[in-house]
Amino acid sequence: MGEVMPFLMVVLIVLIVTIGRTIRAKHAREARLSDGASSEDTLRLRHEVTRLNERIQVLERLATDPRKRLSDEIDALGGPDR
């Protein structure tokens, strides 16, 4: 029994440290989630993503159109001053 005791103590220490780190990581993750974006921020970000997706669609359309049409669209983007 005297030979098993140091090994058992090491195993218990490792187990306690592992459980402690797991609990700490769980609390840290929960704190990050609770400090995360509010619903207002979420709506703002969704609106921004929608707007960026619309811009990407326009750029894709411009990139895949024939040269003449591309040139006309670019000129139209310049406004009436061009």
Side-chain angles (χ1 to χ4, degrees), residues 14-29:
V14 169
L15 182 64
I16 291 168
V17 169
T18 302
I19 291 171
R21 286 185 179 176
T22 303
I23 291 171
R24 187 182 323 157
K26 180 182 176 186
H27 287 296
R29 186 175 60 245

Side-chain angles (χ1 to χ4, degrees), residues 3-66:
E3 298 172 9
V4 176
M5 198 58 129
F7 176 74
L8 183 60
M9 290 178 68
V10 170
V11 169
L12 286 175
I13 291 170
V14 169
L15 182 64
I16 291 168
V17 169
T18 302
I19 291 171
R21 286 185 179 176
T22 303
I23 291 171
R24 187 182 323 157
K26 180 182 176 186
H27 287 296
R29 186 175 60 245
E30 288 174 356
R32 279 194 310 269
L33 290 176
S34 67
D35 291 342
S38 67
S39 60
E40 184 178 310
D41 288 337
T42 302
L43 289 175
R44 183 184 58 78
L45 290 173
R46 285 180 190 228
H47 175 71
E48 182 72 13
V49 167
T50 301
R51 189 179 68 79
L52 290 173
N53 281 334
E54 290 169 357
R55 291 181 71 182
I56 289 172
Q57 288 174 354
V58 169
L59 292 173
E60 287 174 341
R61 191 177 72 239
L62 289 173
T64 58
D65 283 346

Side-chain angles (χ1 to χ4, degrees), residues 58-59 61-62 65-79 82:
V58 169
L59 292 173
R61 191 177 72 239
L62 289 173
D65 283 346
R67 276 189 170 285
K68 175 67 174 126
R69 187 168 172 196
L70 176 62
S71 176
D72 292 343
E73 294 235 9
I74 290 173
D75 289 340
L77 290 174
R82 282 190 139 194

